[in-house]
Amino acid sequence: MAWPWLSCLLLPAFIVSVAANVAPMFLPNMTSVSLPEDLPVGAEAFWMAAKDLDQDPLTYEISGSYAYYFKVTPATGEVKLASALDYETVYWFSVTMSVKDGHNNPVQKDLQVIVEDRNDNAPVFKNSAGFSIDISETLPVGSLVFSVLAEDKDTGSAGVVRYFIEEVIPSTGDSKDLFRILSNGSIVLNGSLSYNNKSAFYQLKLKACDSGGQYNDTFIVQCSSPVFLSISVVDQPDLDPQFVRELYSASVAEDAPQGTSVLKVEAVDRDKGINDPVTYRISNSTRPGWFDIGPDGVISVIGSLDREQLLEEDEEVQVQVTATEVNPNIYGQEAKVSIWVTLRVTDVNDHKPEFFNCSLPTCTFTPQEAQANFIGSVDEHASTRIPIDDLTMVVYDPDKGSNGTFLLSLEGPDAEAFSVSPERAAGSAEVQVLVRDPSLVDYESKTMMLVQVMAIDSVSRNYSVALVTIYLRDINDHRPTFPYNLYNFSVFEHTENGTVVTNSTQAFDPDTGEGGRITYSLLPGNGADLFEVDPDSGTVTVRNSELLDREKQAVYYLTLQATDGGGLSSSTMLHVYLLDINDNMPVVSGSYNIFVQEEKDNVSVTIQAHDNDQPGTNNSRLYFSLLPGPYSHNFSVDADTGLLRNLGPLDREAIDPALEGKIVLTVRVADCGTPSLSTQVYATITVEDINDNVPVFNQLSYIFPVKERDPGALVGEVKAWDADQTEANNRISFSLSGSGVNNFVIRGSVLGSGQAEGYLRLASDVSLDYETQTSFNLTVIAENPDPQGAVATAGILVPVEDVNDEPPTLDAASLRGIRVAENGSQHGLVAEVIARDVDTAAQLEVQLVNVICTKAEDDVGSLCHGWFSVLANGSVLINQSEAIDYETCDLVTLVVRAYDLTTDPRFQAYSANGSLPITIEDVNDNAPYFLPENKTFVIIPEVVIPNQQVASVRARDNDSGSNGDIVFSILQVNFITKDGTVIPFQGFFRVTPSLEANTFIGNIELATSLDPTLQGTYQVTVQAQDRPSVGPAQKANMTLNLFTVDQSYRVRLQFSTNKEEVGANTEKIKAALAQATRTTVYIVDIRDIESMARARSRSYLDAYFVFSNGSALTLDELSVTIREDQDSLAQLLQLGLVVLGSQERQESDLPKLLTSTIIGLGVALLLVILIMSTALVCVRKSYHRKLRAMKAAKEARRTAAGVMPTVFAIPGTNMYTSERANPMLNLSTKDLGFESQSSTSDLDHISINSLDNNSVDLEKDKQETKKEPLHSLMEPDEEPLNVVLSGQKAGTGVQQNEVSFTNAGLDTTDL
């Protein structure tokens, strides 16, 4: 009965806390590292990482036989490459990492180093010293010719060798693809060989390349040096003979005598090097005995022929002729060939050939359809053998054989210009009239030609005649010509604009239509700006009368050019002589101011004047006169000399005081021309003049044409004069007004007394634009310096002459996108790009600048460059309709521009680039395809419920729109049991579609509950089908394996936390379990454990652990797997894992659950009663033990030290036979403190659950306990009684509060 209280004394010795430094630990992911073999020496390879709970400084090292590859920084764990890696030498090795914190032994862990291959080796051909082979010309297509082998030490795609035939010599069209090389290096014959028809020797240039791989962070492809394979072709007698014609037929009259030769056939040996002789025989015939064949191949009549016997056989006899070579072929067989010869037995000749307007073979040849008149057309001077267009002529003779043979020839007025084809025919034939002599076919000679086609029966000489009317089409074959090379014309100077200089210089062009339409123009040169020509009539007229001045230039030399509509041209010279007109008024020289004293002096002054018109004519002879005036009657002037005199004395007082003593006489100087021009000169008598005259322009209006784009150009000149005779009053200044005046400047210049000239120019920084404004209306103002003086005005019209200076533009409407269907759906013209130019003489063409090929807005290079073309007139045509492929390129952008051929070289001739987008429309030419899935689908029947997704497939269709839409369906479901039995199922699964990033997803859902007892695999066949708007749909199938996991693999894990915390850490728990087991974790249930269950576990989690192949872990396998991964185990312990166990089968039946509950409650009640009873008994026994102990202590005090009782102790106990006393502790009789020793001790709470062996005390692992050292086993234990007695001697009468001892012989088992 001493065990309970002894346990209370000894238990504290085993629960003392222990505190110690914890060793560092490498991170869980420090198990392996992958390094590329091209990693540079000295580059960072990886980092060693460990954690230490004590935060001690860590030191890292690497050891092992491969440690020389690395250099470690001990303080940081950085590892750099010290020696170059080579995958081909060592692709995997292991090193040992170690870390130490200075307190514990170093912690080591093995690290696997995986060397990743890089593409650092090129393929190398084996035994490539000399490749050569002889092959027979009869080698079958697809046969192996030669095999080469190249090796690449790299792995993956970088080690996959691809073989190429870079060149075939000789390089001809039929040898390019004659051989092909397979992926294994085998060279096979890809086409037939022929010693006679093709080359007898070939040389192949071979190259081997890998499939590419990364090297120094770049994707490269390594290729070998080329090698050459020589192939010699050996000729063989492998060919059967061949008839020289593919078809033999002949006719023979039914009355032909025996021996008549009908037809000769001929066959030759196709083996040119052998050339065996050939024999002939008739091997079959529909009329045996009628015909025979001789050794020369001539078929002749050997029997009586009867046409009436062949009426149902279309009057034909079919004869099979077999030609056989004398020697056998390479197979030991006869080399022969047969051909059927058609021999028609003809009747008598009773028809003549007739003409029909139809085309074979649609002609019916009824007598009513026979015609004698035909119409055709042809270009003039068409080349020899060119047929007449629009002529459908057929000649038909219903007679048989030679009776139906007819001869064709031409007659008629124009027969020499044409020929007929064919010249001989039988039965029926399409007839063509061909050009024979192009020189006679001349539209300028005649526009219509007539020929007669004669069809003459070759036997009876009966004939028919057809009249063919041939209309000639004119072509541009003549240049315009002028009658003379030089023309002389005269015209008066300053003749009005539009005056006809000549209208008789027309050129002649015999062509008609556009080729005969003549356009006239004046070539740039002397006078081209003064005259103009009507482009249609050739009439030359005055263009600028103002500048047509004989006094400046008397003769102009013009070049007149005539150009027809085809661009042919010629020219002639025009000499235009200017005739003088009286266009210059006399010019008076000097000014005349005469100062005379009244009544004293006389006036005598000669007026000086001259005329610039032609000397010696009336136009330049001058006549002076004095015009009437207020005082003119007082003066006279000599008409010839211009001498001005006064007739009497002058009296100043007689002069109007307003004149201030000045008398102004007007002398008129006129020429004798018609009409006469004159100039007035004022002679001022006495003093002072008044400014009473305004300037006068020489014209009321001016017209000055000017070319656009010519800054600072001289526009024209204006002239004005003032009648005042003093300089102060007759000086003229010019100014401008009107719209656009800022574009012009005018500068004045004095011509003489009272005359001024104004030069009108464009501003130096201004150039006019015809396209903006075609003319300007200006007003020029002439005024004197006197601010109060009057002004004169004249109008100026400035027409702007067009220069081809504007770049063309593209019509935006013509660049709107078009749509073209792929795969040859459309042909020809699909769009037209329109170019425009505001210039009047623009000649435009459209150019293709670039073609942009895109697929889903990504540039795909030049794949579509040949699909479309753009003509100069802007027509967009389809070039390669069959090559258009939506899946390769869905948008073709044609970048075009317009070019003006006649643009002035100083200006831009090209338009801005425009883009014509051509959208390629999809055609349903691609079948759906499933995307590869690396997933394994597992079904846990206990977990899955109807409508739950259990698998999925992904599919795509490269078509677009409805052509690319995919619908899924389930074709078949089979269940494969573990013993291989196949069980078909229907209606267990359904597929639900969805779309994600252009990928159609078929979600396989459970349609009904599954049997959880079945063990095996469901095989589900899924079909993907597109939905084209037109045409049949295309399909693809895929079979999925759905592995089942039954209830026997369900595992329960118990946690020390409640279900809410377990649920919150589900992802971490799954990740730790997945890392430890390398499986997919399926959690079935999470629940709290009832209070009656184990005290340490508060909740449980049921799960399945399934591998990718469909197998699952059992409880034992799971337990072993988790314990092997210490990192995952530590993480799970931190998350509260305490127990691994099997799932206790739960009955869902309510009556059984109630029964189990009642039984459990009854057992619990019995346990409570038993525990209470045991507690009462233990209390009673404890009380008795205390009484006996007190008596024993009392007895011990009365006993002398070292004296043992006379009674014997009970063996194996610490009791004596006398009064059952316990002498072990000789203590006072007071309370020994055993009240705590009861049946309610903590030892009673220790669980006796059988699951204790699988429990994990997480709290004990978390606490850092400091253990006291155990009592040494070598030290002798003192007798407890001696200890008590010695204590009594040492302090008799002193109360001992606490006495204890340590007995190393006791352990937890004794307790």
Side-chain angles (χ1 to χ4, degrees):
M1 299 302 296
W3 295 112
W5 60 264
L6 186 59
S7 300
C8 294
L9 294 175
L10 296 179
L11 184 60
F14 297 96
I15 60 174
V16 179
S17 297
V18 177
N21 188 284
V22 180
M25 180 174 58
F26 279 102
L27 296 183
N29 60 351
M30 294 297 298
T31 57
S32 64
V33 65
S34 298
L35 300 177
E37 66 172 328
D38 59 351
L39 183 68
V41 174
E44 174 189 311
F46 58 92
W47 287 74
M48 293 188 292
K51 63 180 179 179
D52 186 72
L53 299 178
D54 304 308
Q55 301 297 323
D56 295 327
L58 303 180
T59 303
Y60 298 90
E61 293 181 355
I62 285 183
S63 60
S65 58
Y66 293 98
Y68 65 89
Y69 278 110
F70 305 107
K71 179 181 179 181
V72 181
T73 303
T76 62
E78 182 185 15
V79 180
K80 294 185 178 180
L81 191 66
S83 180
L85 301 173
D86 186 11
Y87 176 87
E88 288 73 29
T89 304
V90 177
Y91 64 89
W92 175 89
F93 58 87
S94 178
V95 296
T96 301
M97 302 184 300
S98 63
V99 60
K100 55 187 178 180
D101 59 359
H103 301 284
N104 299 279
N105 292 330
V107 177
Q108 295 185 339
K109 187 174 184 179
D110 289 337
L111 178 69
Q112 295 182 357
V113 180
I114 301 171
V115 181
E116 296 179 349
D117 191 23
R118 289 295 183 266
N119 191 12
D120 58 343
N121 293 281
V124 177
F125 281 98
K126 300 297 183 182
N127 303 322
S128 59
F131 292 153
S132 63
I133 190 172
D134 294 338
I135 59 175
S136 172
E137 69 169 340
T138 59
L139 187 68
V141 175
S143 300
L144 177 65
V145 176
F146 197 77
S147 292
V148 296
L149 176 63
E151 294 182 352
D152 193 316
K153 296 180 180 179
D154 296 319
T155 60
S157 62
V160 177
V161 178
R162 299 176 297 163
Y163 299 90
F164 302 92
I165 298 178
E166 284 198 307
E167 185 181 1
V168 179
I169 302 173
S171 179
T172 61
D174 57 356
S175 66
K176 179 180 179 182
D177 299 319
L178 188 59
F179 302 92
R180 62 186 176 95
I181 188 165
L182 304 181
S183 58
N184 60 356
S186 298
I187 301 173
V188 297
L189 187 63
N190 200 40
S192 60
L193 298 172
S194 176
Y195 180 88
N196 302 297
N197 301 325
K198 300 180 180 180
S199 176
F201 177 80
Y202 298 95
Q203 189 174 50
L204 308 184
K205 183 179 180 182
L206 308 178
K207 182 179 72 172
C209 298
D210 57 31
S211 298
Q214 293 290 330
Y215 184 66
N216 291 332
D217 297 328
T218 304
F219 185 86
I220 64 170
V221 176
Q222 300 268 22
C223 294
S224 68
S225 300
V227 298
F228 292 89
L229 169 63
S230 299
I231 301 175
S232 299
V233 181
V234 180
D235 190 17
Q236 298 291 337
D238 58 333
L239 301 176
D240 290 331
Q242 182 182 30
F243 284 95
V244 296
R245 291 172 56 186
E246 294 182 357
L247 178 67
Y248 287 93
S249 64
S251 300
V252 58
E254 60 179 333
D255 58 351
Q258 294 184 3
T260 301
S261 297
V262 180
L263 177 68
K264 180 178 181 180
V265 298
E266 182 180 1
V268 296
D269 185 1
R270 288 191 292 165
D271 294 314
K272 296 181 180 179
I274 299 173
N275 198 20
D276 278 347
V278 178
T279 62
Y280 304 91
R281 62 185 176 89
I282 293 179
S283 55
N284 199 356
S285 175
T286 58
R287 293 291 174 176
W290 283 24
F291 300 95
D292 196 7
I293 189 169
D296 57 352
V298 176
I299 300 175
S300 58
V301 178
I302 62 172
S304 298
L305 305 181
D306 187 1
R307 175 180 170 276
E308 283 68 25
Q309 298 182 19
L310 304 175
L311 294 178
E312 295 184 357
E313 301 175 26
D314 199 20
E315 303 176 5
E316 294 179 350
V317 177
Q318 301 294 330
V319 177
Q320 186 183 45
V321 177
T322 300
T324 306
E325 295 182 11
V326 175
N327 298 314
N329 59 17
I330 60 174
Y331 310 107
Q333 302 172 349
E334 286 185 341
K336 60 184 180 180
V337 64
S338 298
I339 190 172
W340 284 95
V341 178
T342 300
L343 303 177
R344 179 177 294 275
V345 180
T346 61
D347 60 352
V348 296
N349 189 8
D350 57 350
H351 291 85
K352 68 176 181 179
E354 291 185 304
F355 293 90
F356 295 85
N357 188 5
C358 61
S359 297
L360 293 176
T362 60
C363 297
T364 58
F365 300 122
T366 61
Q368 294 79 8
E369 294 179 347
Q371 287 192 4
N373 294 299
F374 295 84
I375 296 174
S377 61
V378 69
D379 291 336
E380 65 169 325
H381 302 307
S383 302
T384 304
R385 303 292 296 173
I386 294 298
I388 302 303
D389 296 334
D390 306 322
L391 179 64
T392 55
M393 177 186 289
V394 174
V395 178
Y396 174 64
D397 189 333
D399 291 327
K400 308 298 181 182
S402 60
N403 292 335
T405 303
F406 48 86
L407 304 177
L408 295 172
S409 61
L410 289 182
E411 299 292 341
D414 300 309
E416 292 298 324
F418 300 93
S419 62
V420 66
S421 175
E423 296 180 352
R424 180 184 182 92
S428 62
E430 291 186 344
V431 179
Q432 289 183 325
V433 177
L434 309 177
V435 175
R436 179 181 179 184
D437 189 348
S439 62
L440 300 178
V441 184
D442 187 4
Y443 180 87
E444 286 70 32
S445 299
K446 57 176 66 178
T447 61
M448 181 184 70
M449 305 182 77
L450 298 175
V451 296
Q452 292 176 329
V453 181
M454 304 283 294
I456 304 174
D457 192 308
S458 62
V459 176
S460 66
R461 308 307 293 179
N462 294 328
Y463 66 90
S464 295
V465 179
L467 178 64
V468 180
T469 302
I470 303 172
Y471 293 96
L472 302 186
R473 293 190 295 264
D474 188 22
I475 64 172
N476 189 27
D477 57 338
H478 295 85
R479 292 179 178 272
T481 57
F482 289 96
Y484 305 102
N485 293 330
L486 175 63
Y487 294 86
N488 293 319
F489 303 103
S490 62
V491 65
F492 286 102
E493 62 174 332
H494 297 304
T495 301
E496 294 182 357
N497 290 344
T499 300
V500 176
V501 178
T502 176
N503 55 7
S504 60
T505 53
Q506 285 81 15
F508 173 72
D509 191 325
D511 294 322
T512 61
E514 187 67 19
R517 186 178 64 84
I518 299 176
T519 301
Y520 297 91
S521 62
L522 289 177
L523 297 182
N526 182 18
D529 56 339
L530 303 179
F531 300 91
E532 60 184 0
V533 63
D534 185 275
D536 297 322
S537 65
T539 299
V540 179
T541 59
V542 175
R543 179 181 183 183
N544 192 333
S545 63
E546 184 66 26
L547 300 180
L548 201 64
D549 191 353
R550 187 204 65 81
E551 285 71 31
K552 293 182 179 179
Q553 183 172 339
V555 182
Y556 290 93
Y557 305 95
L558 306 179
T559 301
L560 179 63
Q561 178 177 277
T563 305
D564 63 19
L568 301 178
S569 64
S570 62
S571 61
T572 186
M573 292 297 299
L574 305 180
H575 290 181
V576 181
Y577 296 89
L578 298 187
L579 301 179
D580 187 38
I581 63 172
N582 191 21
D583 60 335
N584 291 280
M585 60 182 61
V587 178
V588 177
S589 301
S591 59
Y592 301 91
N593 297 312
I594 301 109
F595 296 88
V596 294
Q597 294 179 0
E598 61 177 329
E599 302 298 337
K600 180 179 180 179
D601 295 331
N602 293 320
V603 175
S604 179
V605 61
T606 300
I607 305 300
Q608 301 294 329
H610 68 278
D611 195 309
N612 291 328
D613 287 323
Q614 187 173 359
T617 65
N618 288 336
N619 293 335
S620 61
R621 188 163 62 86
L622 301 181
Y623 173 80
F624 297 88
S625 62
L626 187 63
L627 297 182
Y631 306 100
S632 59
H633 58 278
N634 296 317
F635 300 91
S636 66
V637 64
D638 187 277
D640 295 326
T641 63
L643 178 63
L644 178 64
R645 298 185 180 193
N646 59 307
L647 298 177
L650 300 178
D651 186 1
R652 183 180 185 281
E653 289 72 20
I655 301 174
D656 188 348
L659 300 179
E660 296 182 355
K662 292 183 180 179
I663 298 176
V664 178
L665 300 178
T666 302
V667 179
R668 181 177 182 271
V669 182
D671 58 26
C672 297
T674 304
S676 177
L677 298 179
S678 63
T679 299
Q680 297 176 358
V681 61
Y682 297 96
T684 303
I685 309 300
T686 311
V687 240
E688 297 188 58
D689 189 15
I690 61 171
N691 190 10
D692 57 350
N693 293 282
V694 297
V696 177
F697 286 98
N698 62 342
Q699 294 179 212
L700 294 178
S701 62
Y702 300 90
I703 299 177
F704 298 139
V706 64
K707 291 185 177 180
E708 64 173 332
R709 300 282 188 170
D710 192 2
L714 176 64
V715 178
E717 301 172 359
V718 298
K719 295 180 180 180
W721 57 276
D722 194 310
D724 294 326
Q725 295 299 311
T726 60
E727 183 179 357
N729 295 325
N730 63 14
R731 189 168 70 247
I732 300 174
S733 62
F734 298 96
S735 62
L736 294 174
S737 65
S739 176
V741 69
N742 294 334
N743 296 318
F744 302 90
V745 294
I746 188 168
R747 292 184 175 85
S749 175
V750 177
L751 296 178
S753 177
Q755 297 188 24
E757 186 175 37
Y759 297 94
L760 181 63
R761 292 181 178 272
L762 290 175
S764 59
D765 58 344
V766 172
S767 61
L768 303 182
D769 186 4
Y770 176 85
E771 289 72 28
T772 302
Q773 187 169 348
T774 59
S775 64
F776 293 85
N777 286 308
L778 306 176
T779 300
V780 59
I781 302 171
E783 57 186 343
N784 294 129
D786 185 359
Q788 304 299 324
V791 298
T793 61
I796 300 178
L797 174 63
V798 182
V800 181
E801 295 182 348
D802 188 23
V803 174
N804 197 346
D805 59 336
E806 294 293 334
T809 60
L810 296 175
D811 186 7
S814 67
L815 296 178
R816 293 175 182 170
I818 62 174
R819 308 182 73 86
V820 175
E822 64 173 333
N823 294 347
S825 302
Q826 292 179 240
H827 301 274
L829 179 69
V830 294
E832 186 169 357
V833 179
I834 299 175
R836 306 185 188 279
D837 197 317
V838 296
D839 291 319
T840 56
Q843 185 177 350
L844 305 181
E845 69 176 24
V846 178
Q847 299 177 344
L848 179 60
V849 179
N850 191 15
V851 181
I852 302 174
C853 314
T854 55
K855 173 64 177 177
E857 299 184 358
D858 293 330
D859 196 320
V860 295
S862 60
L863 295 179
C864 66
H865 280 192
W867 294 0
F868 300 93
S869 62
V870 179
L871 302 182
N873 64 355
S875 297
V876 181
L877 306 177
I878 296 178
N879 274 354
Q880 303 173 359
S881 180
E882 300 297 332
I884 299 177
D885 186 11
Y886 170 85
E887 286 70 37
T888 302
C889 172
D890 60 8
L891 179 62
V892 179
T893 303
L894 303 181
V895 181
V896 296
R897 66 181 181 185
Y899 173 52
D900 188 350
L901 302 176
T902 60
T903 298
D904 191 294
R906 298 173 297 165
F907 305 103
Q908 173 65 30
Y910 295 96
S911 71
N913 290 346
S915 297
L916 176 62
I918 303 177
T919 302
I920 307 302
E921 293 185 334
D922 188 27
V923 176
N924 189 25
D925 57 344
N926 291 279
Y929 61 93
F930 286 94
L931 300 180
E933 293 284 358
N934 296 324
K935 300 178 181 179
T936 299
F937 301 108
V938 178
I939 297 179
I940 304 175
E942 180 186 3
V943 177
V944 294
I945 60 175
N947 301 325
Q948 181 177 343
Q949 179 180 336
V950 295
S952 65
V953 295
R954 297 183 302 144
R956 289 180 182 170
D957 193 317
N958 290 333
D959 294 318
S960 66
S962 61
N963 296 331
D965 292 342
I966 297 176
V967 293
F968 297 97
S969 60
I970 295 179
L971 296 181
Q972 185 179 9
V973 178
N974 291 328
F975 185 80
I976 312 299
T977 63
K978 290 189 175 180
D979 59 0
T981 304
V982 179
I983 304 174
F985 284 95
Q986 289 184 354
F988 273 52
F989 300 94
R990 61 171 172 263
V991 59
T992 302
S994 62
L995 179 62
E996 181 179 331
N998 295 327
T999 299
F1000 290 86
I1001 301 175
N1003 299 312
I1004 312 300
E1005 297 179 351
L1006 188 63
T1008 184
S1009 300
L1010 300 178
D1011 187 353
T1013 62
L1014 290 179
Q1015 297 182 357
T1017 303
Y1018 289 95
Q1019 285 188 345
V1020 181
T1021 302
V1022 183
Q1023 183 180 83
Q1025 176 178 314
D1026 58 20
R1027 297 190 293 183
S1029 56
V1030 294
Q1034 304 201 49
K1035 308 173 183 178
N1037 296 338
M1038 182 179 186
T1039 300
L1040 300 177
N1041 291 323
L1042 309 183
F1043 300 96
T1044 62
V1045 178
D1046 58 83
Q1047 289 180 334
S1048 63
Y1049 292 99
R1050 183 168 177 173
V1051 177
R1052 174 164 294 178
L1053 294 82
Q1054 297 186 12
F1055 291 84
S1056 61
T1057 57
N1058 57 30
K1059 69 175 183 180
E1060 287 76 12
E1061 295 185 32
V1062 174
N1065 295 325
T1066 298
E1067 294 302 324
K1068 295 182 180 179
I1069 294 172
K1070 288 179 64 175
L1073 292 172
Q1075 178 180 348
T1077 61
R1078 302 298 189 267
T1079 62
T1080 302
V1081 181
Y1082 296 90
I1083 296 178
V1084 179
D1085 194 12
I1086 302 175
R1087 294 189 181 182
D1088 283 334
I1089 298 176
E1090 298 177 0
S1091 60
M1092 69 180 67
R1094 180 177 177 81
R1096 185 169 299 176
S1097 301
R1098 300 180 59 187
S1099 62
Y1100 67 85
L1101 178 150
D1102 289 346
Y1104 290 88
F1105 297 85
V1106 183
F1107 288 102
S1108 60
N1109 60 1
S1111 61
L1113 285 177
T1114 63
L1115 172 63
D1116 295 336
E1117 294 170 342
L1118 175 63
S1119 178
V1120 173
T1121 303
I1122 290 180
R1123 286 187 172 87
E1124 289 178 351
D1125 192 335
Q1126 293 298 320
D1127 295 336
S1128 299
L1129 178 59
Q1131 187 176 359
L1132 290 171
L1133 293 178
Q1134 293 177 1
L1135 295 171
L1137 177 65
V1138 293
V1139 177
L1140 298 176
S1142 302
Q1143 179 247 348
E1144 296 178 5
R1145 189 171 187 85
Q1146 304 292 330
E1147 299 292 342
S1148 61
D1149 189 56
L1150 183 57
K1152 293 182 179 180
L1153 179 61
L1154 293 176
T1155 301
S1156 300
T1157 303
I1158 295 172
I1159 293 173
L1161 291 175
V1163 172
L1165 181 58
L1166 291 176
L1167 288 176
V1168 171
I1169 296 172
L1170 179 61
I1171 292 172
M1172 294 299 293
S1173 301
T1174 303
L1176 291 174
V1177 173
C1178 290
V1179 169
R1180 182 176 179 274
K1181 288 182 179 181
S1182 176
Y1183 179 72
H1184 285 291
R1185 283 197 302 270
K1186 294 176 182 179
L1187 291 178
R1188 286 193 293 270
M1190 292 174 64
K1191 288 179 68 177
K1194 183 179 181 181
E1195 183 66 27
R1197 286 195 295 269
R1198 292 197 299 262
T1199 305
V1203 179
M1204 298 298 295
T1206 57
V1207 294
F1208 297 100
I1210 300 174
T1213 70
N1214 57 359
M1215 296 186 298
Y1216 291 91
T1217 56
S1218 177
E1219 299 182 310
R1220 296 167 56 190
N1222 188 349
M1224 292 296 292
L1225 298 174
N1226 188 15
L1227 302 176
S1228 62
T1229 58
K1230 63 174 290 187
D1231 186 6
L1232 298 178
F1234 284 118
E1235 287 78 10
S1236 62
Q1237 189 76 10
S1238 67
S1239 61
T1240 60
S1241 172
D1242 289 340
L1243 295 176
D1244 294 337
H1245 293 282
I1246 298 176
S1247 174
I1248 60 173
N1249 194 311
S1250 62
L1251 297 178
D1252 286 344
N1253 292 333
N1254 285 332
S1255 65
V1256 180
D1257 192 347
L1258 181 60
E1259 299 299 328
K1260 182 179 179 180
D1261 292 340
K1262 290 183 177 180
Q1263 295 175 355
E1264 297 180 358
T1265 59
K1266 182 175 182 181
K1267 298 181 181 180
E1268 294 183 358
L1270 297 175
H1271 187 74
S1272 174
L1273 297 178
M1274 300 303 294
E1275 298 178 0
D1277 296 327
E1278 298 185 14
E1279 178 61 35
L1281 186 58
N1282 291 338
V1283 174
V1284 175
L1285 295 176
S1286 62
Q1288 185 179 12
K1289 292 179 182 179
T1292 302
V1294 180
Q1295 185 177 352
Q1296 301 293 324
N1297 295 327
E1298 184 178 357
V1299 177
S1300 65
F1301 69 94
T1302 301
N1303 189 347
L1306 297 177
D1307 56 20
T1308 56
T1309 304
D1310 296 329
L1311 293 175

